[in-house]
Amino acid sequence: MFSGISWHTYVSLVKELHDRRLRLTYNRGMLEIMVPSPEHEYYKKLVGRFVETLAEELKISIYPLGSTTLNRKDLNCGLEPDECFYIQSQNAVKGKKRIDLAQDPPPDLVIEIDITSSSESRLSVYAALGVLEAWRYDGSSLKIYQLQNREYVQYSQSQTFPNLSAQQVSQFLQQAGTVDYLDLVNRFRSWFRDQIQQSS
């Protein structure tokens, strides 16, 4: 964690370190640099795959942009999410080589994995950028946050994927490491199909 870092220095570091496995979070002069662990990367891929599975089963079009750098000079903040998805607002950015959040909308959903460090400080950056929904997984439970009056409020269910509860997703994530990756994704898919049938 570094303090007193200028916007210019932050932007320069983003450019210089773009091919490194680093996560930079910049918030009004404070810069945090993190190195993701293999465990962190596994869970981010798994939760991201769950989101893609939900979209497939609901026949919802999504535009995944992974750890794309999200920043705004006028707000003096920026970061790279573990995973991010454009869903409702994807038509505004699909196919663009650069996302400019001064003009383009932010992602509709971001994912943060808190296995080795907390992403709580990153929530204020997402809120400033206007991200509508954030998921955080800490190794034991998934928390779903929705943006209300420029602040995040924790909810038990997702707004992006109605009828999906944080507790249900947590139960599948807790099986990671003991169940094969693709087997776990398929179990999640089968369970969600049953949920859809029961609600219809």
Side-chain angles (χ1 to χ4, degrees):
M1 183 76 76
F2 302 92
S3 61
I5 304 298
S6 69
W7 174 262
H8 175 75
T9 300
Y10 160 66
V11 171
S12 297
L13 285 170
V14 168
K15 290 178 182 176
E16 290 291 329
L17 303 174
H18 70 91
D19 59 345
R20 307 282 181 92
R21 291 180 59 252
L22 298 173
R23 295 286 185 275
L24 276 65
T25 303
Y26 182 75
N27 192 3
R28 299 173 182 88
M30 297 294 295
L31 177 67
E32 181 181 40
I33 302 176
M34 294 182 292
V35 180
S37 68
E39 184 182 20
H40 173 278
E41 295 296 278
Y42 181 84
Y43 278 104
K44 88 160 197 163
K45 291 292 290 183
L46 183 58
V47 179
R49 184 65 182 265
F50 281 0
V51 170
E52 292 170 356
T53 300
L54 293 167
E56 288 170 356
E57 293 303 314
L58 292 170
K59 295 179 173 52
I60 295 174
S61 180
I62 62 173
Y63 192 56
L65 288 184
S67 297
T68 298
T69 298
L70 308 171
N71 60 34
R72 278 183 57 175
K73 183 177 181 179
D74 60 323
L75 298 176
N76 205 22
C77 64
L79 76 179
E80 295 87 21
D82 288 328
E83 295 282 350
C84 73
F85 297 87
Y86 282 87
I87 305 171
Q88 299 94 324
S89 57
Q90 64 175 300
N91 289 335
V93 298
K94 190 179 287 184
K96 289 192 173 185
K97 294 182 179 179
R98 294 280 185 271
I99 303 294
D100 181 358
L101 294 186
Q103 303 172 14
D104 299 317
D108 299 294
L109 173 64
V110 296
I111 294 170
E112 286 291 331
I113 303 300
D114 288 9
I115 297 293
T116 53
S117 61
S118 173
S119 65
E120 190 163 353
S121 63
R122 293 163 66 87
L123 288 180
S124 62
V125 177
Y126 288 127
L129 295 174
V131 176
L132 296 178
E133 185 164 318
W135 294 7
R136 293 174 61 204
Y137 182 64
D138 63 4
S140 61
S141 65
L142 179 77
K143 293 180 174 62
I144 295 175
Y145 299 89
Q146 294 171 21
L147 194 61
Q148 304 285 339
N149 300 317
R150 299 182 182 179
E151 291 185 356
Y152 283 111
V153 177
Q154 186 176 339
Y155 282 80
S156 61
Q157 293 186 310
S158 169
Q159 183 176 4
T160 306
F161 300 104
N163 302 321
L164 180 75
S165 78
Q167 182 179 10
Q168 291 165 329
V169 178
S170 296
Q171 291 173 356
F172 281 95
L173 291 173
Q174 288 167 6
Q175 298 175 50
T178 59
V179 177
D180 177 78
Y181 178 84
L182 291 179
D183 286 345
L184 186 54
V185 171
N186 287 330
R187 289 185 189 185
F188 181 78
R189 184 186 303 276
S190 297
W191 165 80
F192 191 65
R193 282 180 179 170
D194 290 342
Q195 295 293 110
I196 295 172
Q197 290 176 356
Q198 291 174 15
S199 62
S200 62

